[in-house]
Amino acid sequence: MKGVRHYPGFLAMTLACLLVLYAPLAVVAVYSFNGSTSITQWGGFSLRWYGDVFTGPEAGRFGQAAWNSLTIALIASTTAAAIATAAALAMIRGGAFHGRQASFALINLPLMVPEIVIAVSTLIFFSTVGLTTGYLTILLAHITFCIPFAYLPIAARLEGIEGTYEQAARDLYATRAQAFRLILLPLMMPGVVSGWLLAFIISLDDFIITNFVKGAGMETLPTAIFGSVKQGIKPNIMAISTLMLGVSVLFVTAAYLVNRKGQKIP
Amino acid sequence: MAGPGPSRGPADAAYAGLVRPLLLPTWVVIGILMVVPVALMAVYSFLTKEFRGGVEWDFTLAAYDQFFVTRGLFGDEPAQIEWTYITIFARSIWQAALATGLCLLIGFPTAWFIATRPARTRGVWLFLITIPYWVNLLIRTVSLKFLIRETGPLNESLMAIGLIDSPLPLVNTNLAVQLGLFYSYLPFMVLPIYAAVERYNFALSEAAADLYASRWATLREIVLPVVRPGIVAGMILVFVPSLGAFLAPDLLGGAKTFMIGSLIDEQFKGSQGNWPFGAAVSMILMSMVMVVLLAYARAQGRAGR
Amino acid sequence: MKKLLLGTCLLATPAFAEGELKVYHWFEYIPEELVQKFETETGIDVTIDTYDSNEAMLAALKAGKIGQYDVAVPGDYMVKIMGDEGLLDTFAPEDLPNFGNIAPQWLDVPFDPGRKSSIPYQWGSTAFSVNRDVYQGDIDSLAILFNPPAELQGKINVLDSQGEVLALGSIYLGIPQCSQDREQLKALSDMLVAAKAHWASFGSDTAKDVLVSGDAAAGMIYNGFSAKARAEGANVEYAFPKEGYVVWMDNVVLLKDAPNRDNALKFMNFLLDPENSAAVTNYAAYTSGVTGVDPFLADEIKNSPENNPPADQKGFFIEACDEETQKLYDAIWTNLKK
């Protein structure tokens, strides 16, 4: 059983991959403890930047920005994943229908348009219809550009699931809703999780579009960070980043524990 | 997939009709929040530029003319093909293609490895891949630059173990840009492939093995065709954003030459303030990508029958 | 500033509420304590939104953000552009009791003659710095950037900014900034293309870090940035080249359709108070445009070599060219970076 799953070198590649992903983070974490104000010169171990994050002059601003980023990313990715799941069902299970090609182009449109163009045109659009820029406009923009990122993995997954599963369920007198909820959705789940994760990190990281559609005084973490590096990156940014990593690790641990509880049956 | 792909499902017309309306939210959201603004941009690309940003409502082809035709610095030489922007496009496409290849080369084995872990731990591996992306792209890129600079940890450790005598000049090279793009977009390759491989029926591989197919032949002949939708999704998700990326090229490559992303950005946010031209470049880029994608989708749809 | 809208608040509050001020500003360019002082003195709630370049601010205002903010802080040439675009409101000197504090040389500036829409914020210069560990020779000429000595070739960072690069190039060649002369423009273009072969990178935000980290041994840079590089331990010296250098000034402007015009004027008046202006200078390490700040300045700012150009040298503002001329300069820049 193990045999056909194993390819020599794949483990090494994965580890190399993780090394590349995490080595720069080690730099971030180490320099968040830097005693000096530079991010390139080591000035001894210090916790001053963590103090700065919570009590410094910009503490409120960055705290609020982090909160905005996280909530926006959470709402936007979840909404986008739901919309994308529905769209994938229609596209893959809807048979041949008029407008299928057009729908496909439409779903992928946010991916095709350069970010700066989305940014400027969306802002013009919002101000034309009289929508005040703020939390809501950021959220709307994020949901929109998250859709293709969620859709592609979900559709790729759904395409690999034969219709016979639902058919069998229907034959056993499950309603269509039951067939979806009990059979198809669990089968689709890895795709949905992948799509949701991609949408989440895309939203969390977006700067260009957010920068245009945010209102006065509204910041997300990326806009706050990009703004502050005009004066040079200080270790407080490294400290904030390290804290974000900490939060993400907490999330993962929690998810793992919840998942393990829910999976009594192998 | 990529393409709308073959539609798969119960041969049940009622069911098919039932799920089609599920496209409605997509149409509403993208239709309003993306199509309208993009249509606006398409219109802008045919308008006269207002000096220093903005447009005047006079129809003109000036933006497209600027892209394709040159008449010398002072505009009085005979018209010739303008190679400047075509070169920038070619360079960006080449760069994005390389980055996509690199991500696929590393991302596929990684996705495979994760998908073949016990179900319990797969989620953890997936998160391991995405955790770094909780740190802002700018910070990640700056830290990567720190690692590979001449006096950085990479060069110093390589020199310490005697592998090299003098530091490798990595910063401000194409290699650094590739590394940066790889670092920016890897999960976009890994996750879709993972979603596809996870579904793969390993009995197929066993059957192939029973018929004395080698591992690699099995991979090539059996596995790849089955998980292709995931691979294509991943390639799209890496290639297209790479085309417009400018953080990695600027910070790691030294920004000595325009990429499509920085060229467009300059038109809207730089001192040139030429919105119609920025819109025209975007439209050309969009139509190119769209054509390739739809052509692929069509071929895929046909092959799927 | 402290009134950052709570995450649960979905729409921005209406802009006409009393006792508010909306500032469109660069990030980390005003000390938090100073904003609090203004809020305490006046009871006005200040909200600060930030942008990352003059051009990004202009694009955002033109795309529809005008009318949301009361004041912004554009650079010199951008004041002229915004004025030409009709994005600025005017005030009378009597509106600002502290108007007389504006330093005489900054009163009748070319980008806003007579100061009808703007007041000085901070000013500084753009030239270059050299790492003295790498190069010990004379650094009194722009040739360091445009025709560099062998020691510095391939180790130079220039600002990724059309305005600054072309202006310094023109100053180096001794030609006017908005020239339409073919020979001059050709010379400028050729000189830049030749010089680019010796440059390692273009970067504005990274201008300081590349000097501190040693990625670059010389770099075009703002004076305040160079001072910070020095403070972070880099052995860099900021040069005031004999051909001249670029001078810039950030200004607080009154925006058209300001929702809280009266509060905006109060804020501008507040910033013209020497003690308050000095607080900004001490924070940002540039130079104030207000008279009487000296007693309030920190010593290291007052005596910093980057802030004290030799008396006999000349700084030039970047000029805003007319549309036809600008097109030529855009072409030179695009050609340089293609």
Side-chain angles (χ1 to χ4, degrees):
Chain A
M1 193 65 195
K2 196 121 194 133
V4 292
R5 289 158 188 254
H6 179 78
Y7 279 84
F10 279 20
L11 171 63
M13 293 275 239
T14 308
L15 294 180
C17 178
L18 288 175
L19 181 72
V20 174
L21 288 185
Y22 280 86
L25 299 186
V27 174
V28 171
V30 167
Y31 274 80
S32 68
F33 296 105
N34 191 356
S36 88
T37 55
S38 167
I39 55 152
T40 46
Q41 304 281 317
W42 182 249
F45 179 86
S46 157
L47 285 173
R48 63 184 274 205
W49 298 110
Y50 287 89
D52 189 76
V53 168
F54 292 106
T55 58
E58 298 290 349
R61 184 185 193 91
F62 274 112
Q64 188 63 56
W67 175 253
N68 288 342
S69 270
L70 284 174
T71 53
I72 288 171
L74 210 57
I75 301 172
S77 58
T78 309
T79 315
I83 294 175
T85 306
L89 276 174
M91 292 291 288
I92 311 294
R93 292 288 196 255
F97 59 93
H98 273 295
R100 195 153 169 273
Q101 199 85 292
S103 299
F104 178 70
L106 192 78
I107 293 166
N108 286 291
L109 189 62
L111 200 60
M112 307 298 134
V113 191
E115 273 195 275
I116 180 70
V117 178
I118 300 184
V120 176
S121 57
T122 307
L123 176 57
I124 293 173
F125 174 67
F126 283 151
S127 47
T128 311
V129 299
L131 208 53
T132 316
T133 49
Y135 193 91
L136 182 67
T137 50
I138 302 180
L139 192 57
L140 287 175
H142 278 224
I143 290 172
T144 313
F145 71 69
C146 280
I147 289 176
F149 287 92
Y151 174 83
L152 287 173
I154 296 173
R157 171 76 183 188
L158 183 56
E159 224 174 278
I161 305 173
E162 299 82 358
T164 44
Y165 286 93
E166 292 133 283
Q167 198 61 57
R170 295 276 293 139
D171 290 347
L172 296 169
Y173 304 105
T175 63
R176 288 204 161 91
Q178 284 173 326
F180 172 72
R181 195 163 47 85
L182 300 174
I183 306 296
L184 192 56
L185 195 59
L187 282 171
M188 285 173 73
M189 225 40 201
V192 176
V193 170
S194 296
W196 180 83
L197 271 176
L198 282 187
F200 185 83
I201 60 179
I202 272 288
S203 165
L204 197 64
D205 220 16
D206 179 74
F207 165 70
I208 300 174
I209 298 171
T210 312
N211 193 36
F212 269 76
V213 300
K214 77 193 169 86
M218 178 63 62
E219 297 276 10
T220 65
L221 215 43
T223 65
I225 288 175
F226 270 72
S228 74
V229 300
K230 283 283 154 182
Q231 303 294 320
I233 301 175
K234 283 188 302 180
N236 66 337
I237 304 283
M238 300 300 198
I240 290 169
S241 303
T242 309
L243 288 171
M244 286 294 283
L245 279 179
V247 173
S248 73
V249 171
L250 279 181
F251 262 49
V252 175
T253 316
Y256 177 69
L257 292 177
V258 168
N259 201 22
R260 206 171 54 167
K261 259 204 184 125
Q263 276 195 340
K264 282 278 150 57
I265 348 143
Chain B
M1 166 300 353
S7 157
R8 289 187 172 220
D12 175 353
Y15 183 77
L18 214 60
V19 292
R20 278 177 213 156
L22 289 174
L23 270 173
L24 200 65
T26 310
W27 275 92
V28 171
V29 172
I30 299 187
I32 295 175
L33 293 170
M34 189 64 60
V35 173
V36 175
V38 165
L40 195 73
M41 269 296 142
V43 173
Y44 271 28
S45 73
F46 292 104
L47 296 180
T48 305
K49 85 163 193 173
E50 188 184 333
F51 189 36
R52 300 198 171 101
V55 290
E56 283 162 14
W57 287 84
D58 280 325
F59 177 86
T60 170
L61 287 171
Y64 293 93
D65 181 79
Q66 180 180 347
F67 191 95
F68 291 110
V69 183
T70 178
R71 292 180 189 80
L73 180 56
F74 295 91
D76 52 5
E77 292 164 28
Q80 282 182 316
I81 298 176
E82 171 68 279
W83 289 104
T84 306
Y85 304 110
I86 298 172
T87 314
I88 292 171
F89 263 64
R91 187 187 300 131
S92 298
I93 291 170
W94 173 238
Q95 186 119 284
L98 276 181
T100 310
L102 189 63
C103 278
L104 182 60
L105 198 69
I106 312 268
F108 183 85
T110 306
W112 180 276
F113 179 80
I114 295 175
T116 53
R117 292 309 92 201
R120 253 176 322 109
T121 56
R122 277 176 212 157
V124 178
W125 283 98
L126 275 190
F127 275 112
L128 270 180
I129 297 288
T130 49
I131 281 175
Y133 296 82
W134 281 61
V135 173
N136 189 271
L137 177 62
L138 176 71
I139 307 301
R140 275 184 282 133
T141 311
V142 167
S143 306
L144 187 62
K145 188 175 176 184
F146 177 93
L147 274 180
I148 62 172
R149 69 171 34 121
E150 285 191 19
T151 54
L154 179 68
N155 269 314
E156 285 189 347
S157 44
L158 284 181
M159 274 157 65
I161 59 173
L163 222 55
I164 50 173
D165 292 328
S166 57
L168 299 168
L170 288 172
V171 173
N172 298 334
T173 64
N174 270 330
L175 191 65
V177 176
Q178 285 303 316
L179 201 58
L181 288 175
F182 168 77
Y183 195 27
S184 304
Y185 300 116
L186 181 73
F188 302 116
M189 184 65 82
V190 173
L191 268 63
I193 298 183
Y194 159 78
V197 173
E198 209 263 356
R199 175 73 207 132
Y200 175 68
N201 184 352
F202 286 95
L204 292 176
S205 288
E206 280 158 27
D210 290 345
L211 298 170
Y212 303 105
S214 77
R215 265 179 223 290
W216 298 105
T218 309
L219 186 68
R220 200 172 57 240
E221 303 294 334
I222 314 283
V223 177
L224 282 185
V226 175
V227 302
R228 198 172 66 167
I231 295 179
V232 174
M235 288 174 72
I236 295 174
L237 285 175
V238 173
F239 183 76
V240 181
S242 295
L243 267 183
F246 51 91
L247 209 55
D250 279 10
L251 278 176
L252 297 167
K256 289 186 77 179
T257 50
F258 275 132
M259 291 290 153
I260 298 178
S262 45
L263 179 70
I264 294 173
D265 202 48
E266 175 92 11
Q267 308 310 318
F268 287 101
K269 288 172 69 182
S271 52
Q272 310 204 347
N274 190 342
W275 291 16
F277 185 61
V281 176
S282 316
M283 288 304 134
I284 294 168
L285 173 65
M286 259 179 63
S287 10
M288 259 173 36
V289 177
M290 218 38 139
V291 163
V292 172
L293 212 70
L294 287 181
Y296 175 82
R298 191 152 288 203
Q300 173 86 348
R302 224 169 270 143
R305 298 291 140 192
Chain C
M1 188 89 163
K2 65 180 158 45
K3 283 282 168 242
L4 291 164
L5 304 176
L6 292 173
T8 48
C9 172
L10 283 184
L11 279 167
T13 45
F16 50 79
E18 264 185 24
E20 284 195 321
L21 178 69
K22 306 252 177 178
V23 180
Y24 205 19
H25 207 325
W26 304 80
F27 198 89
E28 290 192 357
Y29 199 4
I30 185 163
E32 177 69 19
E33 304 80 44
L34 193 64
V35 178
Q36 278 166 8
K37 184 180 168 194
F38 177 74
E39 290 183 324
T40 318
E41 278 182 14
T42 60
I44 294 168
D45 277 337
V46 180
T47 309
I48 295 192
D49 195 9
T50 57
Y51 51 85
D52 62 355
S53 76
N54 278 311
E55 285 74 19
M57 171 195 62
L58 181 70
L61 288 178
K62 290 186 81 164
K65 285 197 173 182
I66 189 76
Q68 286 186 26
Y69 303 106
D70 300 299
V71 297
V73 191
D76 43 83
Y77 68 98
M78 189 51 69
V79 174
K80 167 108 173 75
I81 291 172
M82 291 170 79
D84 291 348
E85 295 279 333
L87 295 173
L88 300 182
D89 195 0
T90 56
F91 54 82
E94 306 84 74
D95 293 337
L96 304 175
N98 288 335
F99 191 82
N101 291 348
I102 298 177
Q105 75 266 33
W106 299 125
L107 197 53
D108 209 23
V109 284
F111 48 85
D112 183 17
R115 291 285 181 186
K116 296 189 174 58
S117 304
S118 70
I119 58 160
Y121 189 65
Q122 297 284 304
W123 68 277
S125 63
T126 309
F128 63 91
S129 288
V130 174
N131 187 330
R132 284 316 214 163
D133 296 336
V134 178
Y135 183 71
Q136 290 82 26
D138 281 343
I139 57 167
D140 63 344
S141 165
L142 284 168
I144 293 284
L145 293 178
F146 296 118
N147 186 15
E151 295 98 314
L152 293 175
Q153 287 179 5
K155 293 177 186 158
I156 296 173
N157 178 65
V158 297
L159 297 174
D160 195 4
S161 156
Q162 180 179 338
E164 260 116 356
V165 173
L166 297 189
L168 278 174
S170 302
I171 293 170
Y172 174 59
L173 293 180
I175 58 178
Q177 280 187 47
C178 288
S179 171
Q180 281 193 306
D181 183 285
R182 291 189 169 218
E183 295 305 313
Q184 290 179 344
L185 290 174
K186 182 102 180 38
L188 178 63
S189 183
D190 290 348
M191 186 277 287
L192 290 171
V193 169
K196 184 186 167 187
H198 302 307
W199 295 343
S201 56
F202 285 81
S204 298
D205 300 348
T206 52
K208 182 193 74 182
D209 290 332
V210 291
L211 286 177
V212 177
S213 66
D215 285 345
M220 193 183 289
I221 198 166
Y222 318 107
N223 60 339
F225 246 33
S226 183
K228 284 183 181 170
R230 190 166 49 84
E232 286 180 19
N235 182 20
V236 293
E237 183 178 340
Y238 184 72
F240 290 96
K242 60 185 181 219
E243 297 92 345
Y245 48 88
V246 167
V247 173
W248 50 262
M249 168 166 261
D250 289 327
N251 309 270
V252 184
V253 295
L254 184 61
L255 290 170
K256 194 185 79 170
D257 301 335
N260 313 284
R261 191 173 184 276
D262 291 346
N263 293 346
L265 291 171
K266 277 184 200 154
F267 185 64
M268 292 167 87
N269 192 53
F270 175 83
L271 289 175
L272 283 177
D273 182 276
E275 188 177 350
N276 300 334
S277 187
V280 178
T281 302
N282 285 334
Y283 177 78
Y286 292 115
T287 308
S288 168
V290 170
T291 47
V293 292
D294 266 16
F296 306 105
L297 287 181
D299 282 344
E300 66 268 24
I301 300 287
K302 215 185 316 186
N303 303 324
S304 115
E306 289 85 0
N307 280 347
N308 293 286
D312 55 332
Q313 277 174 12
K314 181 96 183 92
F316 301 90
F317 278 115
I318 293 179
E319 290 170 30
C321 311
D322 64 52
E323 189 167 358
E324 274 311 299
T325 317
Q326 188 59 43
K327 219 159 132 190
L328 304 174
Y329 283 88
D330 290 350
I332 291 176
W333 178 249
T334 305
N335 181 55
L336 182 65
K337 291 201 71 180
K338 78 177 176 195

